[in-house]
Amino acid sequence: MDAPASPSSAHRRFRLMPPGWWLSLVLMGWVGAWGCATPPARRVVFPSAPLSAAEVQAPGTVLMVLSAASKQTLADGSTRPTGVFLNEFYEPYRALIDAGYDVVLATPGGQPPTFDPEGMKPSYWEAHPEGLAEAQALLTRLPAPLSLSEVRQRAETFQALLIPGGQGVMVDLLGDVELHGLLVDFGATSRPVGLVCHAPALLARLSAERSPFTGRRVTSVSGFEEWYIETFVMGARAQVRGIGSGLEEAGFHHETAFPGRSRAVRDCNLVTSQNPFSGTDFNALFLAALTDWRNAGRCEQGASH
């Protein structure tokens, strides 16, 4: 069972819902996959003889792709500020740096990344309140990002790919063909791919013929969380939504935890997470996938072990 996460002020309202709200969600089809665990489609296979210390790859460079979208148009025609959700960027960035990895940032066109003002609220940082000031300070000294076309040309130099979440993903990353190509490149070579919250939506945009991930276990922001944030934060529906159902339709095994609870899922080299409260679990799984790859672990069809 997942440990409770520290909810935001919006997520606290789940406790105030009237009796029978959970059954209502079941009838609306929003909780059918909660707690389910479909067997992974692939397993990590290592060389028959363990690598010597000299043969294990040292921590290298991880590519992190960020949204540069600053505005989101909603279904009713209204607009709102958008971008990357700050803790979904900062927490894995800090975990990678602390573990000895270098991080290279990239955005569409090499534009400066943007960060959603909603993610700056202290209510999203209650588990680590000191992290907000640290993250805001980091933003003032981030190096200029590369363009997606630049990093695509040197994709083989990176050990892993990580894409933080936020509604900005749905604006300028979802249909980006360079990013689609990067996902295929990393997946085909068993290098770790991490997708946070909204970012798993990218998987459903890859063609079934090209995608090295189809059939995997995944998680993402849940349908109920989408509705709740649209209702109480955004004030209108997003133009692109229904990420979980879209993943199911594309052939993935989608699962989520209850709203505001941590959920991260690893299926071989693919690591996905559900929401801003899943950072600790996501980071542990993503770093483990990186360690496996550096020890020559590679994905093969078969049952998990």
Side-chain angles (χ1 to χ4, degrees):
M1 180 178 296
D2 298 307
S6 296
S8 69
S9 57
H11 284 76
R12 287 196 195 97
R13 296 180 194 151
F14 288 124
R15 300 175 184 173
L16 304 180
M17 289 185 173
W21 69 269
W22 190 89
L23 179 58
S24 298
L25 298 185
V26 172
L27 294 176
M28 287 187 285
W30 277 335
V31 298
W34 289 351
C36 294
T38 305
R42 296 199 176 198
R43 62 192 180 102
V44 181
V45 176
F46 295 90
S48 56
L51 301 185
S52 67
E55 293 173 313
V56 176
Q57 291 198 50
T61 304
V62 174
L63 174 62
M64 186 177 284
V65 174
L66 305 178
S67 169
S70 61
K71 184 173 70 173
Q72 177 185 20
T73 301
L74 303 176
D76 66 354
S78 63
T79 60
R80 67 177 294 271
T82 193
V84 181
F85 222 74
L86 183 57
N87 65 348
E88 294 178 356
F89 157 73
Y90 173 74
E91 291 179 5
Y93 182 94
R94 178 66 182 268
L96 288 164
I97 295 297
D98 288 349
Y101 294 89
D102 295 320
V103 177
V104 166
L105 305 180
T107 63
Q111 303 172 73
T114 57
F115 292 86
D116 194 321
E118 175 69 16
M120 307 285 183
K121 294 181 178 179
S123 53
Y124 291 96
W125 299 81
E126 289 181 350
H128 306 287
E130 72 287 350
L132 176 56
E134 293 173 1
Q136 291 172 320
L138 174 64
L139 296 186
T140 66
R141 60 178 189 272
L142 284 179
L146 303 177
S147 69
L148 289 177
S149 58
E150 288 179 273
V151 294
R152 178 80 190 281
Q153 293 172 4
R154 46 180 281 207
E156 72 281 353
T157 65
F158 303 108
Q159 291 186 346
L161 169 65
L162 195 154
I163 307 173
Q167 291 282 350
V169 170
M170 312 303 282
V171 178
D172 65 346
L173 296 184
L174 196 60
D176 192 290
V177 294
E178 295 285 4
L179 183 52
H180 294 176
L182 283 166
L183 286 165
V184 172
D185 291 345
F186 278 79
T189 52
S190 291
R191 285 174 290 173
V193 171
L195 303 172
V196 177
C197 194
H198 282 75
L202 286 156
L203 297 170
R205 295 301 179 101
L206 303 179
S207 68
E209 295 76 20
R210 295 185 65 205
S211 177
F213 303 110
T214 303
R216 302 286 187 93
R217 282 179 62 217
V218 295
T219 189
S220 72
V221 59
S222 67
F224 183 76
E225 287 168 324
E226 286 180 301
W227 170 83
Y228 202 83
I229 296 301
E230 288 169 345
T231 302
F232 294 102
V233 175
M234 295 164 57
R237 288 166 64 97
Q239 288 189 342
V240 184
R241 63 193 313 280
I243 294 173
S245 58
L247 287 164
E248 287 282 352
E249 291 169 5
F252 293 89
H253 300 285
H254 184 260
E255 60 187 66
T256 61
F258 280 88
R261 300 281 293 273
S262 175
R263 169 77 79 181
V265 172
R266 178 184 175 188
D267 194 330
C268 200
N269 63 323
L270 179 63
V271 183
T272 53
S273 65
Q274 179 174 333
N275 54 37
F277 312 114
S278 304
T280 298
D281 291 335
F282 172 83
N283 292 340
L285 293 178
F286 190 71
L287 289 172
L290 265 163
T291 298
D292 286 348
W293 188 84
R294 289 169 40 225
N295 280 275
R298 299 295 182 263
C299 295
E300 287 188 5
Q301 293 284 0
S304 174
H305 67 247

